Amino acid sequence: MSSALQKLEEFLRLNPSVDFIRFQWVDYSGVLRARFVPTSRCLRIANGRSAMCLAQNSMIIPISTAPVIFSLSDYHETWNLLPDWSSLRICGTNANHATAMCFVDQKDAELEFDKCPRTMLVLALRRLEREWGAKVLIGFEIEIVLLDDSNNVIKPMDRLNGYSRIAGLRAETLDLVEEIVSALKKASIGVHHFHAEVRDQLEIALAAEPALEAVDSLVLAQEIIRTICVRRNLKATMAPKPTFAGPSNGLHLHLSLAKVGRASADHFLAGVLSHMGSLCAFGMANYDSYARAVSDAAGAWIGFGTDNRDLPVRKIDDAHWEFRMMDSTANPYIFTAAVLRAAMDGLANRTELTWRDCKFFPHLLDEKRRAQFGLDKRMPATLKEALECLKKDTAIETWIGEEEDLLKWYISVKDREVEEFGKMANEQRRLRFLGYF
């Protein structure tokens, strides 16, 4: 409590204009949630004189059924919210607001924080460093489509019109992105670059950071992007399928592995590829995510290749990869932790990298040629298929560990999403996703 109070008091001393701190967390559906708390109460929470309690719809509410929840408990649960005061930062869009990412704990659970996504990532990072002496740097690429108030793609005179073209970034859209980058800077979030991705789509790549800070930055960056756009009467959507005819949105995770040799890096990558189907259930975490299980997105075949964007893993160098099997419907703490746990399974078992570096377009290769690169298994084509991979993955029991209940609750939410979204018409489902992502 003393340390927490000291961190908060020092932050408020350096930022005297802050009146409110947003206690933020991400639920199992990948939705950012927050409580806006006056600093006077924050000080009481930090020194243990007050607490923040949440109802059960704080974590386990499928977006397909909201506001109706489907809990595995037969009683009304209470969840406790514990701010990580070391994550404090200015929110970037409101001068008198700051943010703190939080741990969540189900009251009366047998193990503390066993259902907390942020705890899952913290424990994975500790194990990676303790057992393998390794650390990771992570950065994210955020793909965005801008919609008007009727949920249609905006059509300015200067329209985004192709990969890394200047078109679309000469007028008001450039002003918008510059305002976003300025707000990100205020929130201590670095930008690697931004550019036009394809027609009607932007990409903002965040600078690399230590893993936990990088995920915190991603969560805040997405909210900053949405806020700046709303103030201009625009909707910045990161939903995987924002329109029927336009681009699909991904959220790519760049990971650099430090302090390991080439052989260990190969085992690390092999662990990820060996559990790819299961990882898709965490990264491509909803019904329409699998519109991206195609070339030039998440890929149709399990494998990797140097600078190959037609596979789920793009190799940058021997210990730097881009994991493309992720979108904004993922809980980024769970997905990042799952990638690390799968990779550590590869390290522990010295899993052989049976896949070869494929620099070709997989869809142009015949079956025999694909097999030479280890491209003999397709990516899951639906969330239901990915969940089946996850449920059958016996190794998960060893690398999920104390988060076994988190996995059980997570799967229950996703099973419900498969069932309920499958009943919806395409436009109804699209609008539901746009309301959240």
Side-chain angles (χ1 to χ4, degrees):
M1 291 301 176
S2 172
S3 174
L5 184 60
Q6 289 172 359
K7 288 177 182 176
L8 177 56
E9 287 177 334
E10 177 64 10
F11 179 83
L12 295 176
R13 184 185 69 79
L14 295 173
N15 300 278
S17 64
V18 171
D19 297 315
F20 302 95
I21 297 177
R22 303 178 185 189
F23 289 9
Q24 300 188 155
W25 70 100
V26 183
D27 69 16
Y28 293 157
S29 294
V31 176
L32 175 64
R33 300 184 182 273
R35 291 287 178 93
F36 294 70
V37 187
T39 53
S40 57
R41 188 182 177 203
C42 291
L43 289 164
R44 294 198 300 274
I45 290 172
N47 70 11
R49 296 191 350 235
S50 183
M52 180 68 70
C53 296
L54 305 169
Q56 60 192 28
N57 60 0
S58 60
M59 286 298 294
I60 55 171
I61 180 166
I63 63 175
S64 58
T65 64
V68 179
I69 66 171
F70 290 88
S71 173
L72 293 181
S73 299
D74 56 3
Y75 59 90
H76 287 284
E77 305 151 19
T78 300
W79 294 68
N80 296 320
L81 201 61
L82 180 67
D84 181 352
W85 299 110
S86 64
S87 72
L88 275 167
R89 62 175 89 188
I90 298 298
C91 83
T93 56
N94 297 73
N96 63 333
H97 284 235
T99 66
M101 294 308 301
C102 296
F103 299 99
V104 292
D105 186 29
Q106 186 191 24
K107 189 176 180 181
D108 300 325
E110 291 186 16
L111 295 172
E112 289 187 326
F113 301 103
D114 66 333
K115 302 180 186 69
C116 175
R118 202 162 190 273
T119 298
M120 182 179 177
L121 177 55
V122 168
L123 293 176
L125 291 167
R126 286 178 182 171
R127 182 184 165 198
L128 181 65
E129 185 170 6
R130 181 180 67 249
E131 296 185 10
W132 307 105
K135 294 185 178 182
V136 293
L137 288 177
I138 285 176
F140 291 93
E141 295 176 352
I142 306 171
E143 294 179 344
I144 309 152
V145 172
L146 300 176
L147 306 179
D148 61 23
D149 58 4
S150 297
N151 291 314
N152 297 315
V153 172
I154 64 169
K155 298 178 180 179
M157 179 181 295
D158 182 34
R159 190 170 180 181
L160 295 163
N161 199 24
Y163 185 75
S164 291
R165 288 190 61 187
I166 301 294
L169 291 171
R170 297 186 178 109
E172 61 265 33
T173 304
L174 178 59
D175 294 338
L176 169 67
V177 178
E178 287 181 347
E179 185 178 354
I180 289 170
V181 172
S182 177
L184 293 173
K185 183 178 180 181
K186 291 176 184 176
S188 302
I189 299 172
V191 171
H192 190 63
H193 64 246
F194 64 85
H195 65 97
E197 181 69 3
V198 295
R199 183 174 175 83
D200 297 324
Q201 186 181 58
L202 286 163
E203 179 178 283
I204 298 177
L206 304 183
E209 298 181 84
L212 185 62
E213 290 88 337
V215 179
D216 289 348
S217 290
L218 168 67
V219 171
L220 182 52
Q222 290 174 306
E223 185 57 26
I224 286 172
I225 293 167
R226 295 184 183 106
T227 300
I228 297 295
C229 288
V230 163
R231 290 175 181 176
R232 289 175 173 249
N233 295 316
L234 298 171
K235 179 191 287 287
T237 181
M238 299 154 216
K241 192 177 179 182
T243 65
F244 297 126
S248 62
N249 283 326
L251 178 61
H252 304 151
L253 185 158
H254 278 256
L255 185 150
S256 297
L257 183 62
K259 298 183 179 179
V260 298
R262 171 65 183 273
S264 293
D266 284 352
H267 296 320
F268 187 98
L269 177 58
V272 173
L273 291 170
S274 296
H275 297 284
M276 181 59 68
S278 301
L279 293 176
C280 286
F282 297 116
M284 298 163 64
N286 227 301
Y287 195 93
D288 282 343
S289 296
Y290 292 81
R292 296 185 59 253
V294 294
S295 297
D296 201 33
W301 297 90
I302 295 174
F304 80 100
T306 297
D307 279 331
N308 194 334
R309 292 173 171 82
D310 290 283
L311 291 167
V313 180
R314 176 168 74 103
K315 180 180 175 181
I316 312 299
D317 63 34
D318 287 342
H320 178 186
W321 308 277
E322 177 190 50
F323 297 111
R324 300 173 61 81
M325 64 288 190
M326 181 187 186
D327 63 48
S328 68
T329 66
N331 181 307
Y333 297 95
I334 293 177
F335 176 68
T336 305
V339 167
L340 294 176
R341 292 290 178 88
M344 285 187 281
D345 185 62
L347 288 169
N349 293 307
R350 302 182 66 81
T351 304
E352 183 182 355
L353 186 61
T354 57
W355 296 264
R356 288 177 55 204
D357 188 348
C358 179
K359 301 178 183 180
F360 302 94
F361 295 105
H363 62 280
L364 297 181
L365 303 177
D366 60 24
E367 184 177 353
K368 181 178 179 181
R369 188 82 169 108
R370 281 198 305 269
Q372 291 175 351
F373 293 98
L375 307 181
D376 55 357
K377 290 184 180 178
R378 285 188 173 272
M379 291 280 281
T382 64
L383 176 59
K384 182 177 181 179
E385 189 177 328
L387 287 169
E388 288 304 312
C389 291
L390 179 59
K391 293 170 186 177
K392 294 175 182 176
D393 195 335
T394 56
I396 285 200
E397 293 181 7
T398 64
W399 48 267
I400 285 292
E402 293 182 354
E403 295 88 29
E404 181 180 350
D405 278 350
L406 182 154
L407 181 64
K408 180 171 65 176
W409 286 56
Y410 178 86
I411 289 174
S412 76
V413 170
K414 297 304 170 181
D415 280 340
R416 182 65 62 170
E417 299 285 50
V418 169
E419 178 183 352
E420 298 299 326
F421 275 127
K423 301 173 185 176
M424 292 187 186
N426 289 340
E427 179 65 2
Q428 181 186 8
R429 193 171 63 248
R430 182 181 84 98
L431 294 178
R432 179 59 68 100
F433 279 119
L434 292 181
Y436 285 86
F437 305 108

